[in-house]
């Protein structure tokens, strides 16, 4: 058969048609491509980091409480102190810490012929290293663990917490304070018994001098039916707060330990205040110790909020 003649124009038409088809295919894929870019950009957009805490540094612990409050919390036996002795007693002993922007503390002790009292202050600044968790939320978690460990009843003891007394009211009570006495060895021997549990001896018996919680309901704050001195949540201090009170007895004597812990933003403050006595008939007064500890806590909370 004779071969068909080659027509250049037809080849041009076919080539143009093919080019148009390819262009159409490319154009139809552009919406998907744009959507992919938009989705990719959306995934790359991160949520804002959680808010940092209010506090970026900490104050010097020993200089934070006023000298007047420290004097009332560490009463003497009427004997005047020299300037050197007063500075040693009321100036406090700073805790050794590795980072004073994260944790500071101070300790005060007043020993007299009538007895001994100890006051401790620990201030911790909490920082969250999780960008989705704020410093305040992290601090609340740390505070919550402390409250749980202290076994504080949820919602307190069922009655409102008494208001912290004014400094003048606390001062007026000092003349009626119980007599206490103790030495450093008694304290170290009974510190482990603050929970009311004595370590077992070699034959399963508690060693001589080991502490145990008092069973006298009239002096044990945990059995206080009114809840006025019982361990409880405090609703009028910082963002969250609780108070714990334990009376511990031993062959060597008796001591009462009052603890107040509160959180303000990303800072947690712990106050420990105890009174010791070798005379078991002279039990430390729960209400007096609690009032003074709460008075200091209120002062510290106000100072940190300034």
């Amino acid at each position: 058969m004779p071969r068909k003649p080659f027509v250049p124009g037809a080849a041009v038409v076919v080539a143009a048609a093919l080019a148009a088809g390819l262009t159409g295919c490319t154009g139809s894929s552009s919406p998907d491509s744009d959507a992919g870019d938009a989705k990719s950009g959306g995934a790359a957009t991160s949520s804002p980091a959680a808010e940092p805490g209010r506090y970026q540094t900490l104050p010097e612990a020993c200089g934070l409480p006023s000298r007047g409050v420290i004097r009332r919390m560490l009463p003497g036996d009427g004997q005047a102190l020299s300037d050197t002795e007063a500075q040693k007693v009321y100036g406090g002993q700073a805790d050794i810490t590795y980072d004073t922007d994260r944790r500071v503390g101070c300790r005060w002790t007043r020993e007299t012929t009538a007895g001994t009292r100890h006051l401790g202050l620990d201030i911790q600044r909490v920082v969250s290293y999780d960008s989705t968790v704020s410093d305040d939320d992290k601090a609340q978690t740390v505070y919550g663990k402390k409250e749980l460990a202290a076994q504080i009843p949820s919602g307190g003891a069922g009655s409102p917490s008494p208001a912290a007394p004014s400094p003048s009211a606390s001062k007026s009570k000092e003349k009626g304070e119980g007599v206490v006495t103790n030495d450093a060895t008694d304290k170290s021997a009974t510190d482990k018994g603050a929970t009311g549990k004595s370590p077992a001896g070699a034959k399963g018996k508690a060693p001589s001098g080991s502490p145990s919680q008092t069973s006298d309901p009239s002096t044990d704050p945990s059995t206080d039916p009114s809840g006025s001195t019982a361990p409880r949540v405090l609703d009028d201090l910082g963002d969250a707060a609780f108070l714990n009170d334990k009376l511990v007895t031993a062959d060597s004597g008796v001591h009462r330990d009052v603890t107040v812990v509160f959180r303000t933003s990303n800072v947690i403050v712990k106050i420990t205040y105890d009174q010791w006595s070798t005379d078991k008939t002279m039990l430390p007064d729960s209400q007096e110790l609690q009032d003074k500890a709460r008075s200091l806590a209120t002062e510290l909370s106000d100072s940190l909020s300034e």
Side-chain angles (χ1 to χ4, degrees), residues 72 165-173:
R72 286 188 291 272
S166 63
S168 59
S170 296
K171 186 175 182 180
S172 65
K173 292 184 179 182

Side-chain angles (χ1 to χ4, degrees), residues 10 29 56 64 84-85 163 240 263 265 293:
S29 64
Q56 301 301 312
L64 191 58
T84 302
E85 291 172 332
R263 178 184 72 84
S265 184

Side-chain angles (χ1 to χ4, degrees), residues 161-167 169-170 236-237 290-299:
S161 303
S166 63
S170 296
D236 56 352
L237 181 62
Q290 288 192 24
D291 286 349
K292 289 184 176 180
R294 292 193 61 192
S295 180
L296 173 58
T298 299
E299 177 184 285

